[in-house]
Amino acid sequence: MTLMQKFLGAAATVALTAGAVAAEPALIFDLGGKFDKSFNEAAFTGASRWAEETGGKFFEIELQSEAQREQALRRFAEAGANPVITTGFAFATPVEAVAGDYPDTKFVNIDGWLPEVPGNVQLVGFQEHEGSYLVGMMAAMASKSGTVGFIGGMDIPLIRHFGCGYAQGAKAVNPDITVITNMTGTTPAAWNDPVKGSELTKAQISQGADVVYAAAGGTGVGVLQTAADENILSIGVDSNQNHLHSGKVLTSMLKRVDVAVYNAMKAGEGLETGGFTILGLADEGVGVAMDEHNAALITDDMKAAVEEARAKIISGDLKVEAYYTNDSCPVHKF
């Protein structure tokens, strides 16, 4: 029996003996683990906030392989967990497959897409290109070489969506800037390969990059570490990663996965399902991190430019093109 089976078996026992007590939510982390200092950790932060505020408890599991996705969903649903929250686009199809068998269970998938959303499923997405546009502007304003980098995790449209927004922001500041792009891989292992992240960072530095943005989950830890070691600036993602290398991380593009998880757990069995929830700048679903760790790196001009762009994006006066529109980026080739 695997550790996961033991855990889920225990979870089922606890939930099923709870009788009429309100169902406890469950959180299934994507590959890379809950302490990836990025996407999954943001989800854990949101769940922890809910638990601290309410005194409630939630079930959780870290997957070890792709094959465990559907198994984990079914085990938690059978245990009576509600809602069952999943992180990562790869969960969308397993959630679709499982949802119909558990009509009384509500499922949440963060980052996934389905052509038709089952009635007991909520999909949560973000306008990552909007936040990435802002950090792209900051990268271009901070760069002395005129070359900036982007390192993605798994090469999928979602990560190109990040990169496209970043390139648009950088080129809005400096139309002649060079944007170097590398993806870590084509399988889920690309989310948790800090060594490869380090290698790609060194390669981009050799090409002149002096600011590198990582949108790569746990792989990004290697990017930020190497950038600090090589005395260039980095940009974190999802969680606020400024503190990981204080004074060396220009900013972090915040993707408020924590808010999405917190809201889902707070809603509980009353969660609205059957559609999409999209969070952007206007909803504070994405943004840039400003704190004591990057204060010395942020100029007044940079702050003013970011605030002006943010206001224009929210008002509709500035349109950031989404990679998804035509599976292409108007200012950058991947």
Side-chain angles (χ1 to χ4, degrees):
M1 180 178 286
T2 67
L3 178 61
M4 176 182 166
Q5 288 172 325
K6 290 179 181 177
F7 178 88
L8 291 178
T13 301
V14 171
L16 293 174
T17 57
V21 177
E24 294 175 337
L27 177 58
I28 307 176
F29 299 101
D30 205 354
L31 299 175
K34 69 178 178 181
F35 294 124
D36 62 357
K37 303 186 187 303
S38 186
F39 183 83
N40 286 314
E41 193 158 334
F44 180 64
T45 297
S48 298
R49 175 188 164 200
W50 171 83
E52 290 168 4
E53 290 185 5
T54 64
K57 297 179 180 179
F58 61 92
F59 300 128
E60 60 177 281
I61 192 69
E62 298 177 68
L63 299 188
Q64 302 302 313
S65 72
E66 290 283 316
Q68 294 175 327
R69 295 186 189 281
E70 187 168 326
Q71 180 192 29
L73 287 164
R74 291 188 181 280
R75 290 292 184 97
F76 278 135
E78 290 168 5
N82 205 8
V84 178
I85 305 166
T86 61
T87 61
F89 74 96
F91 266 108
T93 299
V95 164
E96 181 182 36
V98 168
D101 295 336
Y102 303 93
D104 295 328
T105 301
K106 295 190 174 182
F107 297 89
V108 177
N109 176 232
I110 298 171
D111 265 3
W113 181 86
L114 293 170
E116 293 185 15
V117 183
N120 58 333
V121 173
Q122 181 192 75
L123 299 182
V124 182
F126 296 83
Q127 303 281 31
E128 296 93 351
H129 62 315
E130 294 181 350
S132 294
Y133 183 96
L134 299 183
V135 301
M137 292 179 64
M138 296 172 70
M141 295 180 78
S143 176
K144 295 179 173 62
S145 68
T147 298
V148 298
F150 175 84
I151 296 175
M154 187 176 174
D155 190 2
I156 54 173
L158 171 63
I159 299 304
R160 294 186 177 203
H161 190 54
F162 278 86
C164 185
Y166 178 67
Q168 288 176 75
K171 289 183 179 292
V173 169
N174 177 6
D176 297 322
I177 200 165
T178 298
V179 180
I180 305 169
T181 298
N182 292 109
M183 299 296 181
T184 306
T186 57
T187 69
W191 303 120
N192 194 26
D193 192 347
V195 173
K196 184 65 176 292
S198 175
E199 292 172 353
L200 291 173
T201 305
K202 289 178 180 178
Q204 293 195 352
I205 292 171
S206 72
Q207 297 174 69
D210 59 356
V211 185
V212 178
Y213 175 28
T219 298
V221 174
V223 176
L224 271 59
Q225 178 68 62
T226 300
D229 292 344
E230 298 292 329
N231 201 32
I232 69 161
L233 295 174
S234 61
I235 296 174
V237 77
D238 296 339
S239 298
N240 184 348
Q241 298 181 317
N242 294 356
H243 67 284
L244 294 181
H245 300 283
S246 186
K248 295 293 186 179
V249 181
L250 178 62
T251 188
S252 297
M253 201 293 279
L254 301 176
K255 178 173 171 177
R256 300 304 302 272
V257 176
D258 59 324
V259 172
V261 171
Y262 173 84
N263 288 344
M265 288 190 173
K266 186 176 181 180
E269 295 178 67
L271 180 71
E272 293 186 9
T273 53
F276 289 86
T277 296
I278 305 295
L279 303 175
L281 283 174
D283 315 289
E284 297 188 355
V286 296
V288 298
M290 304 280 194
D291 58 22
E292 69 276 16
H293 296 288
N294 69 342
L297 303 173
I298 307 300
T299 65
D300 290 341
D301 286 347
M302 201 179 290
K303 285 182 181 178
V306 167
E307 282 305 312
E308 181 181 1
R310 180 180 182 276
K312 285 184 176 180
I313 292 170
I314 291 173
S315 70
D317 292 333
L318 172 58
K319 180 174 176 55
V320 184
E321 294 295 334
Y323 180 84
Y324 299 131
T325 303
N326 297 302
D327 285 332
S328 64
C329 184
V331 301
H332 186 71
K333 290 186 177 180
F334 289 93

